[in-house]
Amino acid sequence: MVFDINEDLEGTTVVEDDEVRVEAPRSGMEFDSMKDLTAYYKQYAKQEGFGVRIQRTRKDDEGRPVYVTVGCARGGKYNPTNNNISKPRPTTRTDCKVRVNATLSKNDKWVLTTVENVHNHITVSPKKTRFLRSHKHLDEYSQRILDLNDRADIRMNKNFYSLVVDAGGFENLQFQEKDCRNFIDKARHLRLGKGGGEALNQYFRRMRDRNDGFVSSMDLDDEGRLRNVFWADARSRAAYEYFGDVVTFDTTYLTNRYGMPFAPFVGVNHHGQSILLGAGLLSNEDTETFMWLFRMWLDCMNGRAPKAMITDQDRAMKSAIAIVFPETCHRYCLWHIMRKLPEKLGSHAQFNAGLKTDLQTALYDSHTSGEFEESWGQVISKYDLHGNKWLQSLYEERSFWVPAYLKSVFWAGMSTTQRSESMNAFFDGYVHSGTILKEFVDQFDNALRKKYQVLDEISTDDHIKTLNYCVYYNEEEVEVKCTCALFQMRGILCRHVLRVCQLKKINVLPDVYVLDRWRKDLKRTYTLVRSSYDDQRDRADARNYERVLKRCSKLATKISSDNEKISAFLRVIDEFETKCEGSSLHESAYEQIKAKTNVVLDKGKKILSPNVDRGKGRPPSKRKVPPVEKLPTKRKKPVLIV
């Protein structure tokens, strides 16, 4: 069975007037090189409407080609490998005899010895030869545009269409959209490496070479297999000097095919924005693993531990913090605890009839630890909850989560790990459960480049609650203190203190109540530190390319209206191009990336990819989902009103 791919491409072999025709091949024609021979025959095949391929070559003892056969792409016969003759595979081979044979003469010239020009199939129109494989060519300029647009997250259909518009139509391109997709797929693969532990190790090496402040560490097992990863760039380390007093840490985000949760260290800057202070990928969530990560992070920050840290209720995390950061005040995420109320107490008969409200009142309206303990005891007795083990465990650890016990510590306005989870949200759309390690770090940089501010909306119930606060005022030293402890927790004076200052006609607050941490008029040097993005445009050849392109664009704008200047400019370009033939200037960006990727940075033992680990039984999703979110919601039946 013969399948003719050119049946819909039939047409006359008419060549446009502005195209240069080449003469038909004949015996005795000479060429300076094998490259010139194949280029000539491709041009001839393009004007005649058929594809070509090198069918046969022969080399001498030194490995130098001395004989070559270039013929029609439909030459030869198809030999099926399967024995099912009832379902033969379609083929384009028709055993076409069109070919030229050439041999290398004694004077190093390639001479045509045999020529066949009669096809046994229909040729196509020269306008359609761009669809044939041998005549497709993705030039260097198009590769640059495709790669640049791909880095800008422009979709392939729009990326390809930009080249169509630039060329003046589809018919002026020597490639198709599928060829562009193949190029981008290969470029991404070479850009990211194979994605395992060794590729990640090479990536970190490049980052350290490009940025002295970049720090990374990889934890390996006895077999050399990757277990845990930590890294922080120079900007994160510099920002920690200003905003490392309060840090949130969370590991609920799954990001890669190995099931390694993403563990970011997140702080808050003087604008109230989340700021990344380091990150890690963990294979386990036990005490030993957390201790390794915390110690790496502490060493990276010159041994300066945070004053306060917010995490979830993970026992292993709590133990690791107590060992590595003994002087740090540890706090549980209040939001996670309150989110468990429906799950733990929802079965109680009075949960929605007063129990939930009374628990929230005891928690949020208690100004001192004594008031909380009294209110808590009343709730336990009122609803007969003495045997509830979950509430008992919470009460035993009340100093880790109840606001009344934590008022004396500065928390920068944070009581939950929401900032860590909002940082995780930046990576949605960039990473998924199948993301390889190297690609994750690369997409991690892309997400940080596009970091935007997320505004949180807080809704409250429609009722007014009156609370009494006491403000202590020392007139001699102009010292004020409120029982709401907003200044102690956030570093910002509350409205109660400001009202007292207004009544006392204090027009200027003492400097002690204006913390440098929140001041916007101070210049902080961490913003001047460059982040360690592995941007391929930082290569010397990419910078030179952009430099030449900008210069030529400006010149083209100036001389585009003068035909004489254009002709003179093109003559100079032709002369320069002739001088550069055979040099490395023709090497494509794809080949340069490939060459750099194949460089062996470490000739020692390779780092193996980590084993797939699902952690503490967590399902392979992006984040941990509490059981309350999994409860099926019953749809209300429509009520017919008659």
Side-chain angles (χ1 to χ4, degrees):
M1 175 180 178
V2 177
F3 176 72
D4 192 350
I5 63 171
N6 300 318
E7 287 180 353
D8 59 338
L9 304 178
E10 294 182 14
T12 59
T13 58
V14 178
V15 182
E16 298 292 334
D17 295 336
D18 57 347
E19 293 186 10
V20 179
R21 290 186 61 90
V22 297
E23 60 176 318
R26 50 183 173 77
S27 299
M29 294 182 67
E30 294 185 351
F31 300 90
D32 293 333
S33 64
M34 183 176 171
K35 181 179 179 181
D36 293 340
L37 168 62
T38 54
Y40 155 77
Y41 199 69
K42 277 188 176 182
Q43 188 174 357
Y44 168 75
K46 188 174 182 180
Q47 77 179 23
E48 296 298 326
F50 67 95
V52 299
R53 64 185 179 91
I54 298 178
Q55 298 179 351
R56 187 185 307 110
T57 57
R58 187 168 67 242
K59 300 180 180 180
D60 58 11
D61 296 337
E62 298 178 356
R64 186 179 60 165
V66 294
Y67 181 85
V68 65
T69 298
V70 185
C72 178
R74 305 188 68 172
K77 295 181 180 180
Y78 169 66
N79 298 318
T81 56
N82 59 341
N83 298 324
N84 189 356
I85 60 176
S86 62
K87 295 182 179 180
R89 293 184 60 184
T91 179
T92 61
R93 300 291 179 87
T94 62
D95 197 20
C96 181
K97 302 300 183 181
V98 172
R99 65 173 63 91
V100 293
N101 297 326
T103 183
L104 186 64
S105 63
K106 295 181 179 180
N107 57 354
D108 289 337
K109 296 285 186 179
W110 285 89
V111 182
L112 298 186
T113 57
T114 306
V115 177
E116 294 287 345
N117 291 332
V118 181
H119 296 271
N120 64 357
H121 58 87
I122 300 175
T123 58
V124 302
S125 168
K127 293 182 179 180
K128 303 295 184 179
T129 53
R130 61 189 180 90
F131 295 114
L132 300 178
R133 181 178 181 181
S134 60
H135 299 303
K136 289 182 179 180
H137 174 63
L138 188 60
D139 57 280
E140 172 79 7
Y141 171 77
S142 300
Q143 290 180 17
R144 295 276 187 177
I145 297 299
L146 288 171
D147 188 60
L148 181 64
N149 290 342
D150 181 62
R151 294 176 185 278
D153 291 333
I154 297 176
R155 291 180 297 177
M156 176 50 65
N157 59 336
K158 295 184 179 295
N159 197 350
F160 174 70
Y161 189 67
S162 68
L163 297 178
V164 174
V165 175
D166 187 33
F170 291 92
E171 65 278 1
N172 297 326
L173 292 179
Q174 297 182 0
F175 50 85
Q176 296 175 278
E177 184 175 350
K178 184 178 180 180
D179 303 308
C180 297
R181 293 185 183 275
N182 292 338
F183 166 76
I184 290 299
D185 289 342
K186 292 180 181 179
R188 286 176 179 173
H189 177 75
L190 294 175
R191 192 189 310 152
L192 300 176
K194 294 184 179 180
E198 184 63 22
L200 190 63
N201 184 36
Q202 295 179 7
Y203 173 86
F204 285 152
R205 285 177 177 271
R206 290 202 306 273
M207 290 297 95
R208 287 193 293 269
D209 293 339
R210 298 158 68 91
N211 192 326
D212 294 336
F214 185 88
V215 174
S216 65
S217 182
M218 305 178 73
D219 181 30
L220 310 178
D221 60 12
D222 296 336
E223 299 178 357
R225 190 173 299 278
L226 182 65
R227 290 190 300 192
N228 309 302
V229 183
F230 166 75
W231 74 95
D233 61 16
R235 176 172 290 188
S236 297
R237 299 179 66 192
Y240 185 80
E241 297 293 329
Y242 299 97
F243 311 115
D245 45 4
V246 183
V247 176
T248 67
F249 180 76
D250 180 74
T251 60
T252 60
Y253 197 67
L254 288 177
T255 55
N256 51 75
R257 70 171 57 171
Y258 302 105
M260 301 175 70
F262 176 51
F265 296 88
V266 181
V268 56
N269 64 9
H270 58 295
H271 294 288
Q273 299 170 328
S274 300
I275 185 170
L276 190 68
L277 303 175
L281 291 171
L282 307 177
S283 59
N284 289 301
E285 295 179 70
D286 53 13
T287 302
E288 183 180 357
T289 301
F290 285 127
M291 287 177 59
W292 176 88
L293 180 64
F294 292 157
R295 284 170 177 164
M296 293 299 103
W297 184 63
L298 187 62
D299 292 341
C300 172
M301 302 305 174
N302 300 320
R304 177 190 167 193
K307 296 180 181 179
M309 200 166 186
I310 305 174
T311 69
D312 56 19
Q313 288 180 276
D314 191 278
R315 300 296 178 186
M317 202 179 296
K318 177 185 176 183
S319 301
I321 291 175
I323 296 173
V324 182
F325 308 124
E327 303 297 328
T328 298
C329 184
H330 183 201
R331 179 176 188 169
Y332 290 156
C333 174
L334 186 59
W335 181 85
H336 281 99
I337 294 176
M338 300 306 293
R339 189 64 181 267
K340 293 180 181 178
L341 286 179
E343 176 189 349
K344 301 294 184 179
L345 302 175
S347 59
H348 196 282
Q350 294 180 291
F351 178 74
N352 292 319
L355 172 57
K356 180 180 178 181
T357 303
D358 289 346
L359 281 175
Q360 292 175 340
T361 301
L363 178 64
Y364 295 115
D365 293 352
S366 299
H367 297 164
T368 63
S369 58
E371 292 181 8
F372 170 76
E373 293 177 1
E374 182 181 355
S375 300
W376 183 271
Q378 293 175 357
V379 173
I380 297 298
S381 301
K382 179 179 179 180
Y383 297 99
D384 192 20
L385 296 172
H386 296 283
N388 191 292
K389 295 183 179 180
W390 182 68
L391 290 178
Q392 290 178 2
S393 64
L394 284 181
Y395 184 75
E396 292 173 357
E397 295 184 322
R398 57 190 179 277
S399 61
F400 286 89
W401 63 280
V402 177
Y405 290 86
L406 301 167
K407 282 188 173 183
S408 60
V409 181
F410 177 74
W411 295 101
M414 294 186 290
S415 61
T416 70
T417 59
Q418 182 182 9
R419 291 190 178 272
S420 294
E421 297 193 4
S422 65
M423 185 66 70
N424 294 339
F426 289 131
F427 303 103
D428 290 342
Y430 291 91
V431 295
H432 48 82
S433 60
T435 303
I436 55 181
L437 291 182
K438 171 60 181 67
E439 185 179 0
F440 166 77
V441 181
D442 192 77
Q443 295 291 55
F444 168 87
D445 287 344
N446 290 336
L448 289 185
R449 289 194 190 102
K450 290 191 172 183
K451 185 177 180 298
Y452 53 90
Q453 181 66 17
V454 179
L455 300 179
D456 298 323
E457 295 183 359
I458 303 176
S459 59
T460 57
D461 297 333
D462 296 333
H463 67 275
I464 299 175
K465 183 167 54 177
T466 303
L467 297 176
N468 295 321
Y469 295 98
C470 296
V471 178
Y472 300 94
Y473 174 66
N474 186 336
E475 189 170 1
E476 294 181 359
E477 300 180 1
V478 193
E479 181 181 357
V480 289
K481 185 177 181 181
C482 181
T483 56
C484 73
L486 182 68
F487 180 76
Q488 287 77 8
M489 297 181 67
R490 295 194 179 186
I492 301 175
L493 285 177
C494 61
R495 59 182 180 272
H496 321 117
V497 169
L498 295 178
R499 177 58 177 166
V500 172
C501 292
Q502 184 181 16
L503 295 175
K504 294 295 182 178
K505 297 183 179 181
I506 300 175
N507 298 323
V508 180
L509 290 174
D511 293 339
V512 68
Y513 295 114
V514 183
L515 300 184
D516 291 343
R517 192 195 193 286
W518 298 120
R519 292 182 60 176
K520 298 181 180 180
D521 57 340
L522 296 180
K523 299 297 182 182
R524 295 172 173 85
T525 58
Y526 82 96
T527 57
L528 305 177
V529 180
R530 185 181 181 278
S531 298
S532 300
Y533 300 133
D534 189 20
D535 196 343
Q536 297 291 341
R537 288 175 295 176
D538 286 340
R539 301 196 317 267
D541 66 309
R543 291 195 301 269
N544 292 336
Y545 174 83
E546 294 178 358
R547 181 181 174 188
V548 173
L549 188 62
K550 290 179 180 178
R551 185 70 179 272
C552 291
S553 298
K554 291 181 180 179
L555 185 59
T557 304
K558 292 181 179 180
I559 67 174
S560 58
S561 59
D562 193 330
N563 293 332
E564 294 183 0
K565 292 182 179 179
I566 291 177
S567 300
F569 175 72
L570 293 179
R571 284 196 299 270
V572 174
I573 293 296
D574 292 338
E575 293 176 1
F576 182 75
E577 186 176 8
T578 303
K579 294 179 181 179
C580 295
E581 285 185 357
S583 67
S584 59
L585 292 178
H586 291 285
E587 187 179 9
S588 65
Y590 168 76
E591 293 171 342
Q592 291 172 357
I593 296 175
K594 183 177 180 180
K596 288 199 172 187
T597 306
N598 292 333
V599 175
V600 179
L601 298 177
D602 187 2
K603 296 183 179 180
K605 186 177 180 180
K606 284 190 175 182
I607 298 177
L608 303 178
S609 300
N611 292 317
V612 178
D613 189 359
R614 289 181 55 183
K616 301 178 179 180
R618 182 165 68 252
S621 60
K622 282 188 175 179
R623 63 178 294 273
K624 294 179 182 177
V625 181
V628 67
E629 295 183 11
K630 300 178 182 178
L631 295 177
T633 56
K634 296 182 179 180
R635 299 181 60 183
K636 295 183 179 180
K637 296 182 179 180
V639 179
L640 297 178
I641 301 176
V642 181

